[in-house]
Amino acid sequence: MLLSSDDPFLARPNSLHSCARQRLQKEERISFTLIEMARSLAGFLVLLLVISICEAASLFQPISDSHRSAALELFTSDHGSFKSLEETYEALRTFQILGIEKKPDVTAAACRSISETVGSSSTPKDLFYALKANSIAQCKIHEKASEGIISSLNAAVSGASLLLDFYYSIGGLVLIKDQSSKADIHLADAEGVFRSVKAFSQSDGRWRYSSNNPESSAFAAGIALETLAGIVSLASSELDQSLISTLKNDISKLFDSIEKYDDGTLYFDDKLVDGHEYQGPLSTTSSVLRGLTAFAAATTGNINLPGDKILGLAKFFLGIGVPGDAKDFFYQVDALACLESNRVSAPLILSLSSAVLSLNKKDSLKVRVTTVLGSNAPPLTVKLVGAFTSGSKDASLVESQELKFDHGSGLHILNDLPKSIDVGSYTFVFEVVLQEPEDEKVYVTGSQTKVPIFVTGIIKIENSEITILDSDLGSVESQSKLDLAAKNAVSLSANHLQKLRLSFQLITPRGRAFKPHQAFLKLRHESKVEHIFVVGNSGKQFEIVLNFLGLVEKFFYLSGKYDMELTVGDAAMENSLLVAIGHLELDLPEAPEKAPRPPPQPVDPYSRYGPKAEITHIFRAPEKRPPQELSLAFLGLTILPLLGFLIGLLRLGVNMKNFPTKPVPATFAVLFHVGIGAVLLLYVFFWLKLDLFQTLKAVGFLGVFLVFVGHRTLSHLAAASAKLKSA
Amino acid sequence: MAREKSSKDNAQALFHSLRSAYAATPVNLKIIDLYVGFAVFTALIQVVYMASVGSFPFNSFLSGVLSCVGTAVLAVCLRIQVNKENKEFKDLPPERAFADFVLCNLVLHLVIMNFLG
């Protein structure tokens, strides 16, 4: 990072962040491109891409007691026993890593299930998990049982065809080698087995699960690496070094496919092809780490992986916080245990107990550097390399300085914040330097760590006063000083030809001007109508002038008593205030006809949503009916014309002489009259109770009958009268 | 006075001549006339009732009046068709006209009963 002083772009202090310098250089070049492209969208996108390449600041915490208490809550057992051997192993391993004491009922239940699995003939998968759990629970396995296990696992190895078969059987053999008294457990044809597992690998560093299935995943890569590490440790003789070196190449290729989040965390993820098989980034990354560390432990020689990648992986696991699921918890903790002590490099994490510092309380900056599981780091120094206001690209506000190490608490402390740090949001850049040169090979610290820091303090409010001025002349009518720290009871009066001016100054603890997030003046009328105004500023001076002449319509011409309230607030301000200033008697002219009415004020919610008045339904008053006697009288009157008709008929001398005498026509004639009578009777029933459809049906039948009968009768009558005429 | 007496005499003479002419009509036509008179009279009584108490169930009033008027109209049609002096309906046998009368009345009364409510 040697800078030549005659280069105008690079004439900046040495403490400037290299990334920021590169950014600035690139930005100068790109700005010309932008001018050329004349605000084309492509140029804008290029600018965004360049800025986003640099990491954002973020805070990571190592494993702490909150993890331990969460583990006890998540890994619950039913009287010590878990649902499966896999879960038993996961619980035991988590407790072991976090240093939680083994509970006797858990151990006893684990031993029971382990001896059960080991005694009977079980699948290699069950044996694998039983032996894994046993490596932690340390139950005794019978000699005969262990012999049986060894022979069945050896058979499984020779008969294996899928990656997982190899994994379980080889893994089981490795575990039983440590646990049983038999010292020599070797693989018959280690190289052959190695090659058959290697056959599952792909050129991009991922591995397949079987020779038939073309799907590959990084999760399978982790499993394969663990298996191969097991093969190497079980081999009776030294394996071909070329195999090991090709495997190291595969690992580098696998790490080339690592993915990245914006905050600098790195992880492995597989493509979501089949939802059933998909593992998720957490378990995939955990599996890869396990495989990598197992392989590094089993082989000699270095595996060249850049320390940044290991640090990125550590940040990925720490960035999760405390997972809520037992399986996720196990993956996180197991991966961190692999990172804690491995042959590749152990990451060191820089963390802060509090990222919010108060200038008022004279907080000091306390930094802790630990391993991922929270154990002590080797001797090192922490330097504060730079501090930048969030989001700005200016030079660093502080010079590079070392933090003092306190042996008692294990913290690196910066006692007083530099004078250049005022209230607000900053990004502090730290650098961790190991003191012993040998530690550089074992630990990795990362080049620079960016941490977001927020600084708060007490803001001084000075020279606050409220004045009533004459609108035209500008002469002061009344003036009072305010003490905005306490409630004021200023009483002013004004009319629409005057102005109100409120002014005050805000000064930060370091003596600079301060612009808060909120600075409002609220005027509330007696009728609860409110008006809010934003107080503007120029530098330190905050001032608002309310010219009532222009505000008459906004105030809805409401004269009367107005309460005044000032609100000044900010996240960095420890003494944000909402204070009543006093009262203002405002005299406004009368509202004209078309003036807008003030909006209706919100009603008390209990009355708005409470029960409403009960509505009694007013039914339509029934029509006035005539008295019953009158109706009956008229009914009688209606019968009269019928009687008159009958009497008239008798007087005219009607007779039945034309009624047919012969039996057949007589019956038809009778039926004809009966039919007519039946139809009329049907009509009476229709009025009384039948409905139209039933009536129509009946009329249909009767009508047909009537037509037939009537035709016979009338044609007979016609024939009879024709005979009479001719005769 | 003589003029008044003569107009009164004229009216009486006219009335007597009408009466004697009517006596010559056949009996069946007289029956039909009587029936028409009965129907119209019934309608009139219903109108008087409605005038006195108001038309509240108006549909009932209408159906009652229209039944009377309808049946009177059908009877008038029957009289026209049965009258032997009417040359237009010479070929129509009176039984056929009567059958039409009966059928139309039955249909009318079905409608009336539906509308009566």
Side-chain angles (χ1 to χ4, degrees), chain A residues 623 625-626 630-631 634 637-638 641-642 645 648-649 652 654 676 679 683 686-687 692 696 706 714 718, chain B residues 30-31 34-35 38 41-42 45 48-49 52-53 56-57 95 98-99 102 106 109-110 113-114 116-117:
Chain A
E623 296 277 339
R625 304 307 299 269
L630 187 65
S631 307
F634 266 90
L637 269 180
T638 316
L642 181 67
F645 175 65
L649 280 179
L652 278 172
V654 294
I676 293 179
V679 172
Y683 286 170
F686 172 42
W687 184 54
L692 188 61
L696 283 177
L706 199 60
L714 289 171
Chain B
K30 278 200 198 146
I31 294 172
L34 192 64
Y35 181 74
F38 146 65
F41 207 38
T42 313
I45 290 179
V48 164
Y49 177 67
S52 63
V53 301
F56 164 52
E95 285 77 20
F98 180 68
V102 166
L106 289 179
H109 282 92
L110 176 68
M113 288 312 234
N114 195 21
L116 198 58

Side-chain angles (χ1 to χ4, degrees), chain A residues 521-541:
Chain A
L521 174 67
K522 179 158 84 168
L523 267 74
R524 182 174 46 234
H525 189 239
E526 323 168 287
S527 63
K528 308 259 186 287
V529 176
E530 294 179 344
H531 305 278
I532 300 179
F533 303 93
V534 176
V535 181
N537 74 316
S538 56
K540 285 187 205 170
Q541 177 79 352

Side-chain angles (χ1 to χ4, degrees), chain A residues 109 114 127 142 154 158 212 252 311 338 341 357 385 410 494-495 510 541 576 587 613 619-620 668 676 696 705:
Chain A
I114 289 166
L127 283 173
H142 235 317
N154 271 320
S158 21
N212 303 338
S252 332
L311 201 59
C338 292
S341 51
L357 306 167
V385 171
N495 61 37
R510 303 286 194 217
Q541 177 79 352
S576 297
D587 185 21
F619 291 94
R620 187 173 61 121
F668 277 123
I676 293 179
L696 283 177
F705 164 73

Side-chain angles (χ1 to χ4, degrees), chain A residues 91-111:
Chain A
L92 287 172
R93 176 89 175 121
T94 310
F95 292 151
Q96 184 192 48
I97 294 169
L98 292 175
I100 296 172
E101 226 175 70
K102 265 188 274 193
K103 283 194 278 254
D105 58 343
V106 173
T107 323
C111 280

